[in-house]
Structures are given as structure tokens and as C-alpha cells.
Amino acid sequence: MAEPLHVELVAPDRTVWSGEATTVIARTSDGDIGILPGHAPVLGLLVDGVVEVRTPSSEVFVAAVQGGFLSVANDRVSVLAEYAELSHEIDLEAARHELERARSAGGDDEEALEHVRRAEARIRAVELAS
């Protein structure tokens, strides 16, 4: 078995998750990317979405992230998010209410759509983790 990845998922205010992983899946501006040990170096721009980390013991950690960067080099994965929270930190009912509020606020401007995407990502993180 290949050596595991060393993963750091950080936000400006804290380290959200750190440890060894067998896979990392994230959404970048170019689409979803899956990282396995031995992956070629890459730098990607994160979009609002979900980051999924699977550990060698088959635990799965899911986080909702808002923007940032993904860096991969020498089996080290750095997820540097503008904001991130693990699925177990998210109140699902509050997230659903937030999504409903964002949709009902209407507007087709970028800020309104951003609020909808962020609420959807929080809900998706909880659903993926359950």
C-alpha cells in the first residue's frame, strides 16, 4: 500500500482538520478533483462546495468550504479555505432555513447566488457525511 497523504484543511481562524488520508475530493474552478497518493503536483482554485477526506481507517470527514486554494505536492495536500466547517459542526435545520431565506431573497446578482451556493454546500456536507 502506498504511503498516505498528509492533509491540512485550514481556514484563516483555525485548523479545521489535519491528518493522514487515502483520498481527498474537492471542487475547483476546473471541476471536481480526486487526489490519491502519488498525485502530480497541482494548484487549484476552490469554489464553494464540499471537501471529502477518507482516512486509512476508512473514516470519512466532510467539510463545507467557501473559496480558497488546493495545493498538492509530494503527497501533501493543503486546503486553504476562506471559510470551512466540518459536517458535524453544521446545524442541518439552520442550513436549510438559510437556503430557503437565500432563495426567497431573490435576486440574480452574484452575491445572492453566492449565498445560495454556500447554503447548498453546507447541506450537501451534512448529507454526504450521514
Side-chain angles (χ1 to χ4, degrees):
M1 184 170 124
E3 288 293 314
L5 300 165
H6 181 71
V7 180
E8 298 280 339
L9 171 57
V10 297
D13 59 336
R14 68 187 178 123
T15 297
V16 179
W17 190 88
S18 177
E20 292 185 339
T22 55
T23 61
V24 176
I25 301 171
R27 179 159 292 168
T28 69
S29 58
D30 291 327
D32 288 352
I33 185 169
I35 309 297
L36 298 170
H39 197 284
V42 67
L43 181 62
L45 181 63
L46 290 174
V47 296
D48 296 347
V50 173
V51 173
E52 184 178 329
V53 178
R54 184 171 303 273
T55 70
S57 62
S58 297
E59 285 182 279
V60 177
F61 293 91
V62 181
V65 299
Q66 297 173 5
F69 295 93
L70 170 81
S71 171
V72 179
N74 300 320
D75 286 337
R76 296 185 67 78
V77 180
S78 299
V79 179
L80 311 168
E82 292 174 18
Y83 177 82
E85 63 185 321
L86 291 170
S87 59
H88 69 269
E89 300 170 333
I90 299 169
D91 179 333
L92 183 56
E93 288 309 311
R96 286 182 174 146
H97 181 68
E98 179 185 327
L99 177 59
E100 184 179 310
R101 192 171 51 239
R103 285 182 173 157
S104 66
D108 290 331
D109 65 336
E110 188 57 35
E111 186 175 336
L113 295 173
E114 187 174 301
H115 286 292
V116 169
R117 283 192 303 269
R118 288 180 176 176
E120 288 173 340
R122 294 179 77 228
I123 293 167
R124 205 166 36 254
V126 173
E127 290 174 345
L128 275 173
S130 30

